[in-house]
Amino acid sequence: MMIPKLKHAGKNFLLLAGPCVIEGEEMAFDIAAKIVEICDRLEIPFVFKGSYRKANRSRIDSFTGIGDEKALGILKAVGEKFDIPTVTDIHSANEAKLAANYVDVLQIPAFLCRQTDLLIAAAETGKVVNIKKGQFLSAESMKFAVDKVRDSGNDHVMLTERGTTFGYQDLVVDYRGIPVMKQNNCPVILDITHSLQQPNQTSGVTGGKPELIETIAKAGMAVGIDGIFIETHPNPAVAKSDGANMLKLDLLEQLLTKLVKLKQVIDQL
């Protein structure tokens, strides 16, 4: 699998990181600059993440974005300024071609990972396709999502674990699923922030347990994940989406430094 403009490829785990949603140009550039600096120093291959639109919201008054083409334009500008690849979510088949004009990786949200037309449309763009495992699916069943992309003529596919529904208001990560998904001969990423969501809150706003981000990440590294996905923001308390489970940007370098050291140990075992 080849991600364009990816620096430090093969030297470390892959990092997909950035804000939950693009809130504006200044915040996107500030976050990207900070992460690029850290990743260059630690030699971590980095893909900047930002949703141009949030389609899966509990409440009708939830923030969904600043406008599709405006947000996509910011993502493209970030990629060009820092010479890094970018990734964003798509939610319907007709979004695939639009988003593919601006980003390097198309991400399929967990709730939509079985949507055949969406997977085919993403595959047909020729972009790398990152499929998030549905909270309701087994690791074994993700083989069929991968097959849909590959059977559409695109072998550039990744899978992302983001927890499994546990009751009504919690998620758990079954680390047995990591080696199972790796049997599909594609990179497997661990989403260490969404795995700590607490959905279906009575307020209509998803909760989270960000204090466990390091725990989830370390465990994933120990079982051989190929990369981590993390949403981060300078001030999660005022983030317009998913602030309850995001990592404060100031804490990112410390976490990544620990994970680099842990991977070095794991690689020697």
Side-chain angles (χ1 to χ4, degrees), residues 12 37 43 68 72 115 127 129 142 190 207 218 221 226 240 245 247 253 263:
N12 226 314
E37 176 191 355
E43 295 189 308
D68 291 358
L72 285 167
Q115 299 298 108
K127 298 289 184 174
V129 181
M142 290 306 293
L190 177 61
K218 285 179 175 178
M221 205 61 62
D226 298 298
K240 295 183 181 296
N245 54 270
L247 181 72
E253 182 173 5
K263 186 179 188 304

Short mmCIF file of all heavy atoms in Angstrom, two decimals, residues 12 37 43 68 72 115 127 129 142 190 207 218 221 226 240 245 247 253 263:
data_model
loop_
_atom_site.label_atom_id
_atom_site.label_comp_id
_atom_site.label_asym_id
_atom_site.label_seq_id
_atom_site.Cartn_x
_atom_site.Cartn_y
_atom_site.Cartn_z
N ASN A 12 8.53 3.61 11.55
CA ASN A 12 7.77 3.59 12.80
C ASN A 12 6.32 3.23 12.50
O ASN A 12 5.97 2.95 11.36
CB ASN A 12 7.85 4.97 13.47
CG ASN A 12 8.15 4.87 14.95
OD1 ASN A 12 7.56 4.07 15.66
ND2 ASN A 12 9.09 5.68 15.42
N GLU A 37 5.94 18.75 13.45
CA GLU A 37 7.18 18.96 14.21
C GLU A 37 7.52 17.75 15.07
O GLU A 37 8.67 17.28 15.09
CB GLU A 37 7.02 20.20 15.09
CG GLU A 37 8.21 20.48 16.00
CD GLU A 37 7.92 21.54 17.05
OE1 GLU A 37 6.83 22.13 17.03
OE2 GLU A 37 8.79 21.75 17.91
N GLU A 43 10.48 10.60 13.87
CA GLU A 43 10.46 9.80 12.64
C GLU A 43 9.22 8.91 12.57
O GLU A 43 9.29 7.70 12.35
CB GLU A 43 11.74 8.98 12.51
CG GLU A 43 13.00 9.81 12.36
CD GLU A 43 14.22 8.99 12.01
OE1 GLU A 43 14.49 8.01 12.74
OE2 GLU A 43 14.89 9.33 11.03
N ASP A 68 -18.74 22.10 2.90
CA ASP A 68 -17.95 21.01 2.35
C ASP A 68 -16.71 21.46 1.59
O ASP A 68 -15.58 21.07 1.92
CB ASP A 68 -18.82 20.15 1.41
CG ASP A 68 -19.88 19.37 2.17
OD1 ASP A 68 -19.92 19.45 3.41
OD2 ASP A 68 -20.67 18.67 1.50
N LEU A 72 -12.82 21.09 2.73
CA LEU A 72 -11.95 20.28 1.88
C LEU A 72 -10.79 21.11 1.34
O LEU A 72 -9.66 20.62 1.23
CB LEU A 72 -12.75 19.68 0.72
CG LEU A 72 -13.67 18.51 1.09
CD1 LEU A 72 -14.63 18.21 -0.05
CD2 LEU A 72 -12.85 17.26 1.42
N GLN A 115 -21.61 -0.61 3.66
CA GLN A 115 -22.31 -0.01 2.53
C GLN A 115 -21.55 -0.28 1.23
O GLN A 115 -20.56 0.37 0.92
CB GLN A 115 -22.46 1.49 2.75
CG GLN A 115 -23.27 1.87 3.97
CD GLN A 115 -24.70 1.36 3.88
OE1 GLN A 115 -25.08 0.42 4.59
NE2 GLN A 115 -25.49 1.96 3.01
N LYS A 127 -7.82 6.09 -4.58
CA LYS A 127 -7.21 6.56 -3.34
C LYS A 127 -7.06 5.41 -2.35
O LYS A 127 -7.73 4.37 -2.46
CB LYS A 127 -8.07 7.66 -2.72
CG LYS A 127 -8.22 8.90 -3.57
CD LYS A 127 -6.93 9.70 -3.66
CE LYS A 127 -7.12 10.99 -4.44
NZ LYS A 127 -5.92 11.85 -4.43
N VAL A 129 -8.00 3.58 0.87
CA VAL A 129 -9.29 3.52 1.56
C VAL A 129 -9.07 2.95 2.96
O VAL A 129 -8.57 1.83 3.11
CB VAL A 129 -10.31 2.64 0.80
CG1 VAL A 129 -11.65 2.62 1.53
CG2 VAL A 129 -10.49 3.14 -0.63
N MET A 142 -14.77 -8.25 8.80
CA MET A 142 -14.20 -7.15 8.04
C MET A 142 -13.51 -7.62 6.76
O MET A 142 -13.20 -6.81 5.87
CB MET A 142 -13.23 -6.36 8.91
CG MET A 142 -13.91 -5.57 10.02
SD MET A 142 -15.23 -4.48 9.41
CE MET A 142 -14.28 -3.30 8.46
N LEU A 190 -5.30 1.31 15.07
CA LEU A 190 -6.13 1.36 16.27
C LEU A 190 -6.52 2.80 16.55
O LEU A 190 -5.67 3.66 16.74
CB LEU A 190 -5.37 0.78 17.47
CG LEU A 190 -6.12 0.84 18.82
CD1 LEU A 190 -7.42 0.04 18.76
CD2 LEU A 190 -5.23 0.31 19.94
N GLY A 207 -20.12 11.06 25.29
CA GLY A 207 -19.12 11.23 26.32
C GLY A 207 -17.84 10.49 25.96
O GLY A 207 -17.69 9.96 24.86
N LYS A 218 -1.00 1.83 24.39
CA LYS A 218 0.07 0.91 24.78
C LYS A 218 -0.33 -0.54 24.53
O LYS A 218 0.48 -1.34 24.05
CB LYS A 218 0.42 1.11 26.26
CG LYS A 218 1.23 2.36 26.56
CD LYS A 218 1.50 2.47 28.06
CE LYS A 218 2.40 3.64 28.40
NZ LYS A 218 2.62 3.77 29.86
N MET A 221 -0.12 -1.27 20.84
CA MET A 221 1.26 -1.40 20.39
C MET A 221 1.80 -2.78 20.77
O MET A 221 2.55 -3.41 20.00
CB MET A 221 2.11 -0.30 21.03
CG MET A 221 3.35 0.07 20.26
SD MET A 221 3.03 0.70 18.58
CE MET A 221 2.07 2.18 18.96
N ASP A 226 -0.34 -1.64 13.33
CA ASP A 226 0.53 -0.99 12.36
C ASP A 226 0.50 0.54 12.49
O ASP A 226 1.37 1.22 11.95
CB ASP A 226 0.10 -1.37 10.94
CG ASP A 226 0.22 -2.87 10.71
OD1 ASP A 226 1.35 -3.39 10.78
OD2 ASP A 226 -0.82 -3.52 10.47
N LYS A 240 -15.73 21.61 18.65
CA LYS A 240 -17.11 21.61 18.17
C LYS A 240 -17.66 20.20 17.95
O LYS A 240 -18.85 20.03 17.68
CB LYS A 240 -17.20 22.42 16.88
CG LYS A 240 -16.91 23.90 17.08
CD LYS A 240 -17.10 24.68 15.79
CE LYS A 240 -16.78 26.16 15.98
NZ LYS A 240 -17.71 26.81 16.92
N ASN A 245 -13.71 12.93 24.09
CA ASN A 245 -12.77 11.81 24.02
C ASN A 245 -11.46 12.16 23.29
O ASN A 245 -10.63 11.31 23.05
CB ASN A 245 -13.40 10.59 23.35
CG ASN A 245 -13.99 10.87 21.99
OD1 ASN A 245 -15.16 11.22 21.90
ND2 ASN A 245 -13.21 10.73 20.94
N LEU A 247 -7.67 13.96 22.72
CA LEU A 247 -6.47 14.23 23.51
C LEU A 247 -6.08 15.70 23.36
O LEU A 247 -6.07 16.24 22.25
CB LEU A 247 -5.32 13.35 23.04
CG LEU A 247 -3.99 13.51 23.79
CD1 LEU A 247 -4.09 12.92 25.19
CD2 LEU A 247 -2.85 12.86 23.02
N GLU A 253 2.95 14.86 22.31
CA GLU A 253 4.36 14.50 22.18
C GLU A 253 4.78 13.48 23.24
O GLU A 253 5.49 12.51 22.94
CB GLU A 253 5.23 15.75 22.29
CG GLU A 253 6.72 15.45 22.11
CD GLU A 253 7.56 16.70 22.06
OE1 GLU A 253 7.02 17.81 22.24
OE2 GLU A 253 8.78 16.57 21.82
N LYS A 263 7.33 0.49 21.01
CA LYS A 263 7.44 -0.27 19.75
C LYS A 263 8.85 -0.82 19.56
O LYS A 263 9.01 -1.94 19.05
CB LYS A 263 7.06 0.62 18.57
CG LYS A 263 7.01 -0.15 17.25
CD LYS A 263 6.62 0.72 16.09
CE LYS A 263 6.38 -0.11 14.83
NZ LYS A 263 7.52 -0.94 14.45
#
